Amino acid sequence: MKETPLSNCERDFLLKAIEEKKRLDGRQTYDYRTIKVTFGTDYGCCFVDLGKTRVMAQVSCEIVAPKESRPNEGIVFFNIELSPMASPTFEQGRQSELSVKLNRQLERCLRNSKCIDTESLCVVSGEKVWQIRVDVHVLNHDGNLMDASSIAAITALCHFRRPDVSTQGDEITVYSPEERDPIPLSVYHMPICVSFSFFQQGTYLLVDPCEREERVMDGLLMIAMNKHREICSIQSSGGIMLLKEQVMRCSKIASVKVSEITELVGKALENDRKARKAGEKCGFAESLPQERITALKTDKTPVEAMDVTEKVDDIIQKAEVPPLSVPSPSLPVPGVGQVGQNTWGLDEEEEEEEEGEEDRDSSGEEEEKGTKTQKEKDKDEVVELSDSEEEEVVILHPDT
Amino acid sequence: MEACSISNLKLREFGCEQSLLSRPDGSASFIQGDTSVCAGVYGPAEVKVSKEIYDRATLEVLIQPKVGLAGVRERSQEQCVRETCEASLLLSLHPRSSLTLVLQVIHDDGSLLSCFLNAACMALMDAGLPMSCLFCGVTCAISADGQIVTDPTAAQEKESRALMTFAIDSTERNILMSSTKGSFSVHELQQCIVVSQKASEKMFQFYRDSVKRRYSKYL
Amino acid sequence: MAGLELLSDQGYRLDGRKATEVRKVQARMGVFAQADGSAYLEQGNTKALAVVYGPHEMRGSRSRTLHDRAVINCQYSMATFSTAERKRRPHGDRKSTEMSLHLKQTFEAAVMTQLYPRSQIDIYVKILQSDGGNYSVCVNAATLAVIDAGIPMRDYVCACTVGFVDETPLADLCYAEESGGVSSLALALLPRGGQIALLQMDARLHQDHLEALIEAAMIACKGVSKVLDEVVRQHLQEVSMLTAE
């Protein structure tokens, strides 16, 4: 769908408010929206809510052949799916500019910074390695998809457990989760992206823009850092011009925010680990907020099946008798391409000889009779089966 | 084949949340046991000229799997869901418009198609689209020893001899759509249909309860 | 990395340069007669060719016309023979699309697009030989091509890639240094105002070193801008001599 254009009054209102240091939702310039991290039932599934932006990440793994240039390293593959659910402008066919930008950003932030130990993913050097695939689905777009996706991706990677593998010579045995406990991935550090949006040719700066603010912004600066104050990636986009001092200021703000977010993520992972150890049921179902009136949950309910059998017999009896099936599927009606006499060689004499033999078809013949009476009249003209290719066939006359 | 034994039929615990996403016009997430699905609806909205129909709305259904790209299986499920929705929505009230329904798999633990149908119905309700009837999806599986199991888990589905999903409407409990896999007799089919109709009563009661709860502040 | 010492004790790099030295820049403008503007630039062993068409009427999707500015359309591609291993997909893959977007963003900041509403300016850049610093060389080549086309710009756009090794920033990385896992920062600068049009950094770098790195990049870019200025003036002299006769 085409994007609904932003009206001029809305644009002017937003810009004027930003000039007065006011934001639509009442935040301060450097404030993040509430971040909520929840986990799914299986390992490697996590949901991140950044205000109203909602993102889901799922990590999966499989054994593949490694790349030729790096035979003893595993492969990590990232993919951000902009689901059409997230915004009416997202279409099913991918490769829109935003999609390419987000994907490349996530790849650079997580892969180039080497946050995962890929050498530990090697099973048989040069032949078999683990390929870890991270799929991020954007469910609701209310601004700042990059931050939400990066938090979701790195949290899911920390949460994921891969199956245990043992090699004996050439054979590899992959153990299922019941046989041996799955192993977590070795994550060196957690890079998290922080986005800064610039307005009025770089005069005003906001952290974590919401969707409306993103529409009126001039440009975006994204800094990915980890809690050790190492910058993993910087990317400026949009047609803005920055000054060095602005970049330095942003990096200082980013380090503060990243340490807060890392703490939050760490706490969420810890809580989930404790809950799983204690054997509680985890998952999306459990995180359904019960206090809201838009949510409802029921327990297991039995289905009454008292009178099912009677009802079923009733229905079957009332149903029409289906037509009896014909034993032989080949009904030799005069062929479409047949012109004139059938000159294929079944002479009169041969037919008479064969008539004396065979009584195999008696039962078949009776059913045929039954079929004939039930079906339409034109089937009476069906040629007897004697025209078929089988030579043993004998036709008994109807009066026997 | 003989009649299956039907005893001990249960539906797993289910839950639903509506209006959980801010962008779509209607959204719902539906959970059956461990299977959960998120649905979002946009519409009625502008439609591309190539896809417009002069007297009805154009309904498009998109199913996104959790890992990887959508394939043939998702396409066939989309077809089933779309035909059910088209049977119950009053499309002729919005000619030359588009309705887009997007379903995202959150977790698959069996009975996925019926979960899609239930989430779709709740999302369409949440969006306020006019429908002639509500519908719900029920899955039945016939196990190897002839037992009928409603709302099977993924493990039960794998060991079943046949798997059937029915979409049932709310006004007359008719079957709007059926999708089956495996071999079974006519008698078994009829039994499953009647069982599904019984189970659908529970579902519709749940719909009624959740809507009542939602609008409890206004009533 | 085993073996290769990116910065020796005496302060010399792999190709004998000092840490702050930029590779030799050689450029020619007006290499294509047919295009509105074209330039060929060599920076060390990296060679790039840039061609500019425009401003002209919007081609393709009329719906993308902007009523108050020109649309800049960039395409970045690498020749299949530009790298050591033959490139199987020269354009259309994610990296090329991302590069094209970055180039577009850089030039939208520098070109005075308000002077040409409802028009389109096309910039095509092709890397003929890749030896590190692809983005920077493209930007430098494209700047010359835009000037050759006579399209007004706010300032020269100069770009440089710098890396950080042993607490020292290295200006203008070559391929061996880039692939050595060095943190690299690519910067596109408008030298007169010191404004950054694009900033891109990969790999881990401690926050305290960021300022020094950006400073080194800016100095290198200013050096490059002097060379580009020379090239433009020389080209103008040649052209005026030819037309005067």
Side-chain angles (χ1 to χ4, degrees):
Chain A
M1 240 187 288
K2 252 167 70 168
E3 186 158 15
T4 40
L6 195 63
S7 62
N8 281 340
C9 16
E10 212 172 346
R11 179 185 295 265
D12 293 338
F13 178 79
L14 280 163
L15 288 172
K16 204 131 183 275
I18 291 171
E19 280 171 34
E20 298 175 11
K21 308 266 194 213
K22 293 195 172 78
R23 291 175 83 159
L24 275 187
D25 41 12
R27 287 184 278 156
Q28 299 293 320
T29 21
Y30 299 154
D31 277 353
Y32 253 85
R33 291 172 279 184
T34 7
I35 305 180
K36 217 168 61 139
V37 178
T38 42
F39 296 97
T41 332
D42 48 349
Y43 284 115
C45 175
C46 114
F47 297 88
V48 171
D49 283 289
L50 181 62
K52 291 199 207 137
T53 300
R54 198 178 164 86
V55 154
M56 170 179 91
Q58 172 72 51
V59 181
S60 53
C61 63
E62 64 170 342
I63 297 195
V64 296
K67 289 201 185 130
E68 283 126 19
S69 50
R70 290 171 209 267
N72 57 344
E73 282 183 21
I75 307 174
V76 191
F77 177 70
F78 299 96
N79 182 32
I80 300 188
E81 282 282 341
L82 297 177
S83 166
M85 200 189 316
S87 162
T89 49
F90 293 161
E91 307 250 326
Q92 174 73 319
R94 315 157 57 207
Q95 291 298 335
S96 71
E97 270 185 28
L98 181 64
S99 157
V100 170
K101 204 170 81 141
L102 290 172
N103 271 296
R104 281 294 299 152
Q105 214 95 293
L106 190 68
E107 265 183 40
R108 288 191 12 240
C109 167
L110 293 179
R111 185 185 291 162
N112 292 8
S113 61
K114 304 219 184 332
C115 58
I116 304 260
D117 178 15
T118 41
E119 294 198 357
S120 69
L121 297 174
C122 178
V123 179
V124 177
S125 177
E127 282 173 28
K128 294 206 191 293
V129 297
W130 283 110
Q131 178 187 45
I132 305 287
R133 191 195 160 103
V134 183
D135 283 284
V136 180
H137 296 274
V138 178
L139 298 176
N140 197 39
H141 174 28
D142 195 36
N144 208 0
L145 293 177
M146 192 60 231
D147 290 13
S149 309
S150 81
I151 298 176
I154 194 66
T155 315
L157 282 168
C158 289
H159 190 245
F160 181 62
R161 306 257 183 283
R162 65 167 171 86
D164 196 3
V165 161
S166 71
T167 46
Q168 283 127 1
D170 275 339
E171 271 198 27
I172 310 176
T173 0
V174 180
Y175 295 105
S176 71
E178 290 89 32
E179 294 168 16
R180 273 208 209 166
D181 277 340
I183 316 171
L185 298 173
S186 59
V187 180
Y188 288 141
H189 62 104
M190 295 180 35
I192 296 194
C193 297
V194 177
S195 297
F196 300 87
S197 52
F198 290 91
F199 301 87
Q200 309 281 43
Q201 281 84 48
T203 337
Y204 302 100
L205 159 73
L206 286 182
V207 173
D208 186 20
C210 71
E211 200 254 338
R212 286 266 170 263
E213 289 163 353
E214 269 189 1
R215 295 252 255 181
V216 298
M217 73 180 175
D218 288 335
L220 191 76
L221 176 69
M222 186 220 65
I223 301 185
M225 279 175 83
N226 61 22
K227 68 171 185 209
H228 307 295
R229 293 183 58 223
E230 285 173 342
I231 302 181
C232 302
S233 166
I234 304 186
Q235 178 69 52
S236 76
S237 61
I240 39 149
M241 319 259 233
L242 298 170
L243 296 169
K244 196 178 70 153
E245 294 74 36
Q246 286 174 318
V247 177
M248 299 314 299
R249 192 154 50 104
C250 289
S251 78
K252 290 197 181 64
I253 301 171
S255 63
V256 173
K257 293 293 162 198
V258 163
S259 55
E260 284 173 15
I261 298 177
T262 316
E263 214 186 290
L264 189 118
V265 167
K267 242 191 278 183
L269 281 166
E270 188 59 40
N271 286 348
D272 180 75
R273 205 173 55 83
K274 271 195 237 157
R276 272 178 213 262
K277 221 164 158 194
E280 285 168 24
K281 223 171 105 70
C282 312
F284 188 54
E286 296 314 304
S287 60
L288 205 59
Q290 280 315 302
E291 327 73 52
R292 297 211 193 133
I293 54 173
T294 49
L296 184 64
K297 212 161 117 172
T298 58
D299 298 317
K300 284 201 176 91
T301 41
V303 179
E304 287 129 24
M306 290 304 171
D307 50 348
V308 172
T309 355
E310 294 94 47
K311 244 190 142 176
V312 172
D313 293 330
D314 210 24
I315 294 178
I316 292 189
Q317 269 173 7
K318 283 204 206 130
E320 298 165 1
V321 179
L324 287 173
S325 51
V326 183
S328 159
S330 60
L331 272 175
V333 181
V336 175
Q338 193 171 352
V339 178
Q341 259 303 41
N342 182 353
T343 52
W344 270 66
L346 269 181
D347 294 30
E348 284 275 332
E349 310 160 321
E350 287 177 23
E351 275 196 51
E352 281 172 12
E353 283 173 10
E354 286 157 3
E355 272 183 33
E357 305 169 359
E358 253 294 29
D359 52 344
R360 176 162 63 88
D361 265 336
S362 53
S363 52
E365 178 57 20
E366 276 173 1
E367 281 200 51
E368 269 238 87
K369 258 194 298 179
T371 321
K372 277 192 193 168
T373 47
Q374 281 186 21
K375 287 189 182 162
E376 318 305 314
K377 294 297 167 281
D378 59 323
K379 289 293 197 297
D380 281 359
E381 300 187 337
V382 171
V383 179
E384 296 95 339
L385 278 171
S386 67
D387 269 337
S388 77
E389 296 78 73
E390 295 177 3
E391 297 182 14
E392 314 298 326
V393 167
V394 169
I395 291 301
L396 302 173
H397 292 291
D399 50 351
T400 35
Chain B
M1 296 175 194
E2 303 172 0
C4 318
S5 51
I6 326 165
S7 56
N8 209 19
L9 292 169
K10 317 202 252 301
L11 293 172
R12 293 181 281 181
E13 52 190 13
F14 38 84
C16 133
E17 188 181 351
Q18 288 186 314
S19 295
L20 63 161
L21 303 174
S22 68
R23 290 305 290 279
D25 295 327
S27 58
S29 97
F30 202 86
I31 302 167
Q32 276 177 230
D34 274 337
T35 308
S36 64
V37 161
C38 188
V41 173
Y42 284 102
E46 193 186 338
V47 70
K48 271 196 214 155
V49 182
S50 55
K51 291 198 201 152
E52 76 172 4
I53 308 179
Y54 71 97
D55 61 345
R56 296 202 314 274
T58 315
L59 174 67
E60 198 183 335
V61 178
L62 293 162
I63 292 187
Q64 314 264 13
K66 203 171 188 189
V67 178
L69 299 169
V72 176
R73 179 190 307 186
E74 280 77 33
R75 297 271 170 266
S76 76
Q77 286 170 334
E78 283 171 14
Q79 184 91 319
C80 294
V81 174
R82 187 160 52 90
E83 287 173 358
T84 318
C85 295
E86 280 183 354
S88 62
L89 281 168
L90 296 175
L91 294 173
S92 52
L93 286 181
H94 300 284
R96 290 200 179 84
S97 315
S98 82
L99 299 171
T100 314
L101 171 66
V102 185
L103 295 156
Q104 168 76 51
V105 179
I106 307 277
H107 194 250
D108 181 9
D109 191 34
S111 318
L112 189 63
L113 187 54
S114 59
C115 204
F116 280 146
L117 289 164
N118 295 329
C121 186
M122 299 231 75
L124 291 171
M125 265 202 283
D126 187 43
L129 289 168
M131 296 201 270
S132 59
C133 64
L134 296 178
F135 56 89
C136 81
V138 184
T139 308
C140 284
I142 303 181
S143 65
D145 52 356
Q147 280 255 0
I148 293 189
V149 180
T150 44
D151 202 13
T153 61
Q156 286 169 330
E157 276 188 359
K158 229 196 271 185
E159 297 164 11
S160 64
R161 169 167 42 97
L163 188 69
M164 310 181 217
T165 306
F166 300 107
I168 299 170
D169 90 294
S170 61
T171 43
E172 285 168 26
R173 306 283 185 273
N174 284 335
I175 306 281
L176 292 174
M177 184 275 304
S178 82
S179 164
T180 67
K181 189 173 81 151
S183 70
F184 44 87
S185 70
V186 175
H187 194 97
E188 285 172 339
L189 175 66
Q190 290 297 346
Q191 276 184 315
C192 286
I193 290 182
V194 177
V195 165
S196 307
Q197 285 170 330
K198 289 269 174 206
S200 68
E201 320 230 331
K202 292 277 180 298
M203 300 296 307
F204 290 127
Q205 186 58 41
F206 175 71
Y207 284 1
R208 240 172 266 129
D209 290 338
S210 59
V211 173
K212 222 191 284 188
R213 180 180 155 101
R214 176 141 181 229
Y215 293 110
S216 58
K217 291 217 167 140
Y218 305 104
L219 294 173
Chain C
M1 282 288 286
L4 293 171
E5 208 182 43
L6 294 173
L7 190 67
S8 77
D9 299 325
Q10 287 91 27
Y12 290 106
R13 290 150 73 172
L14 285 175
D15 46 4
R17 286 184 282 154
K18 289 253 177 179
T20 50
E21 275 179 29
V22 174
R23 291 175 288 184
K24 182 170 183 190
V25 176
Q26 287 173 304
R28 279 186 64 84
M29 290 167 65
V31 287
F32 280 146
Q34 187 197 0
D36 291 330
S38 56
Y40 170 75
L41 189 126
E42 279 182 29
Q43 196 165 330
N45 282 332
T46 308
K47 303 178 169 48
L49 182 63
V51 168
V52 170
Y53 287 96
H56 56 73
E57 199 184 338
M58 276 299 285
R59 304 232 181 91
S61 45
R62 289 279 164 81
S63 55
R64 283 199 275 154
T65 324
L66 295 172
H67 65 100
D68 58 347
R69 327 200 276 279
V71 170
I72 298 192
N73 177 33
C74 285
Q75 202 193 54
Y76 164 90
S77 72
M78 295 179 73
T80 46
F81 45 81
S82 60
T83 46
E85 246 182 55
R86 185 170 185 273
K87 255 219 164 273
R88 234 170 288 159
R89 227 182 143 196
H91 49 77
D93 61 332
R94 272 189 197 164
K95 277 206 181 128
S96 307
T97 322
E98 194 200 15
M99 272 292 203
S100 313
L101 286 176
H102 288 163
L103 283 171
K104 180 180 145 98
Q105 172 197 329
T106 316
F107 282 95
E108 267 179 0
V111 171
M112 303 180 83
T113 45
Q114 291 90 337
L115 297 174
Y116 304 104
R118 303 185 121 32
S119 323
Q120 180 180 339
I121 301 176
D122 295 321
I123 305 180
Y124 300 112
V125 191
K126 198 166 192 78
I127 297 266
L128 298 174
Q129 189 173 305
S130 155
D131 186 32
N134 286 347
Y135 170 74
S136 327
V137 177
C138 283
V139 168
N140 296 333
T143 305
L144 288 179
V146 168
I147 293 177
D148 189 41
I151 300 176
M153 286 210 290
R154 294 197 175 87
D155 195 356
Y156 286 98
V157 186
C158 310
C160 190
T161 320
V162 292
F164 201 76
V165 171
D166 288 346
E167 317 276 317
T168 333
L170 301 178
D172 198 9
L173 299 174
C174 64
Y175 183 73
E177 290 165 337
E178 259 181 13
S179 50
V182 166
S183 6
S184 68
L185 179 125
L187 185 89
L189 186 74
L190 275 66
R192 249 175 276 174
Q195 292 164 314
I196 302 173
L198 183 123
L199 179 62
Q200 181 178 315
M201 202 195 83
D202 299 326
R204 285 154 75 172
L205 176 78
H206 198 267
Q207 190 187 3
D208 301 333
H209 304 307
L210 181 66
E211 178 150 17
L213 205 60
I214 297 183
E215 195 56 52
M218 288 173 88
I219 294 173
C221 286
K222 291 198 174 123
V224 171
S225 79
K226 287 205 192 76
V227 177
L228 293 184
D229 194 38
E230 275 266 338
V231 170
V232 171
R233 284 179 204 279
Q234 177 145 34
H235 177 78
L236 275 178
Q237 245 185 357
E238 282 173 14
V239 167
S240 61
M241 275 204 305
L242 285 172
T243 46
E245 281 172 4

